[in-house]
Amino acid sequence: MNGATAGDTAEGGAVAGGAPAGRPPTMYQKVAADLRQAITDGAYGSGGRLPAEGDLARRYGVSRGTVRQALAVLRAEGLVTSRRGTRRVVLGSEGTQSFGELLSFTRWARSIDEEPGGRVVSIERHPADATEREQLRLDPRATVYRMLRVRTLSGRPVMIERTVYPEPVGALVAALDPDTVSHTVRLEEQGVMIADAHHTIDLVRADADDARLLGCRPGDPLLRERRRSTDPAGAPIEWSDDRYVPGTMAFTVHSSAATGSLARRRATPEEPGQDADASPGQAAPAPPPAER
């Protein structure tokens, strides 16, 4: 699967990493757009370094905070590295799956020419349990929002999403229309940006809810991806347990001395589920038989 280009249109008429259609871009979006164009034009070259945050702030006449927001957008698009305190390294602009596609089911689905869909089955506010407090770094009396959601590809149910949000983020999600296709895009529009994520992938047996919502049998094997996502400051935004129907998709992992990365792609019939635990860097391109 090839990554989305900088000009791909996201759900609801918004440009990935940019302003919604008809709304003037903010300063950080303008900075991101200018840097994105320079990277696409090869001004820095793959493996080159962007100017330091302070230099960029002076160039554009903005604060360092605005520059960091712009760099977070480029990081989410898979264009630059995410290491803070150093000059960002350009990862290249083609042949990769973007970080945003890996995190967003909607962006991934559209990159393989499928129509994404989603339906919230339930979203409820509860006291956080021990696992949720650990994963989201919450205090003992914290509350969370737990969401159960069905995701579809061109009308076919293919994934169950169980996501836990800390209260401020969960309140934003709870206010969305239940049929909103991309929560990721809507949260980005409200300033909630995901900069890093940790993934654990394994197999799990379908429970009664999985079977009812996916149309499989209880006990059938499902590919499970558990994910914790954090914002540019390192604060957890979500803790998710996503379960996919076998044969829908697979993950590939690329490792090197410099980076480790994870890319989602279509499953082929002969592939079993894969087990991987990785934090995304530059996503690896899918092997040719799986590309579309």
Side-chain angles (χ1 to χ4, degrees):
M1 178 180 67
N2 292 327
T5 62
D8 284 343
T9 301
E11 185 272 327
V15 175
R23 185 183 301 176
T26 63
M27 281 306 301
Y28 84 84
Q29 290 165 340
K30 292 178 180 178
V31 173
D34 189 71
L35 291 173
R36 184 188 301 113
Q37 187 62 54
I39 291 170
T40 302
D41 292 343
Y44 300 103
S46 182
R49 291 182 179 271
L50 293 181
E53 289 180 358
D55 293 336
L56 290 172
R58 285 187 289 275
R59 176 192 296 181
Y60 292 104
V62 298
S63 69
R64 285 195 177 212
T66 298
V67 170
R68 291 190 188 111
Q69 284 184 288
L71 292 174
V73 170
L74 300 181
R75 172 65 183 89
E77 294 173 357
L79 295 177
V80 300
T81 57
S82 63
R83 293 182 62 187
R84 298 181 67 185
T86 61
R87 291 170 59 193
R88 309 301 175 97
V89 176
V90 176
L91 297 176
S93 58
E94 57 187 7
T96 66
Q97 178 184 11
S98 76
F99 184 66
E101 284 176 359
L102 181 56
L103 292 177
S104 170
F105 180 91
T106 297
R107 288 169 177 161
W108 169 69
R110 286 178 174 154
S111 77
I112 59 170
D113 299 323
E114 294 273 11
E115 183 59 33
R119 176 175 62 88
V120 174
V121 178
S122 64
I123 181 165
E124 299 174 341
R125 185 172 176 266
H126 293 275
D129 63 26
T131 299
E132 293 162 348
R133 291 196 300 271
E134 178 184 3
Q135 293 295 333
L136 296 175
R137 301 205 295 266
L138 301 173
D139 64 54
R141 290 180 289 184
T143 57
V144 295
Y145 282 81
R146 297 174 187 159
M147 181 186 68
L148 177 64
R149 190 180 184 207
V150 182
R151 306 308 307 271
T152 61
L153 287 178
S154 301
R156 308 183 314 276
V158 297
M159 189 260 275
I160 299 297
E161 179 181 323
R162 292 173 172 87
T163 306
V164 182
Y165 298 99
E167 188 163 12
V169 180
L172 295 176
V173 175
L176 297 175
D177 187 290
D179 295 323
T180 297
V181 175
S182 177
H183 289 179
T184 302
V185 170
R186 291 292 175 250
L187 289 174
E188 287 175 357
E189 290 172 2
Q190 298 183 70
V192 180
M193 303 292 297
I194 295 176
D196 290 277
H198 185 85
H199 307 257
T200 301
I201 301 166
D202 59 7
L203 291 177
V204 67
R205 298 290 180 180
D207 64 20
D209 284 337
D210 297 330
R212 173 174 57 87
L213 296 171
L214 291 176
C216 61
R217 295 174 299 181
D220 280 354
L222 302 175
L223 182 63
R224 177 173 66 174
E225 177 208 359
R226 285 173 289 175
R227 179 182 67 255
R228 180 177 64 184
S229 305
T230 56
D231 67 13
I237 290 174
E238 63 175 8
W239 165 241
S240 189
D241 178 318
D242 299 344
R243 302 181 181 192
Y244 294 84
V245 172
T248 303
M249 49 78 67
F251 289 87
T252 61
V253 179
H254 171 77
S255 297
S256 71
T259 62
S261 63
L262 181 65
R264 177 168 41 198
R265 61 182 175 84
R266 282 188 182 277
T268 55
E270 68 273 12
E271 287 184 314
Q274 301 182 32
D275 189 3
D277 192 353
S279 296
Q282 180 184 2
E291 291 181 345
R292 289 192 56 180

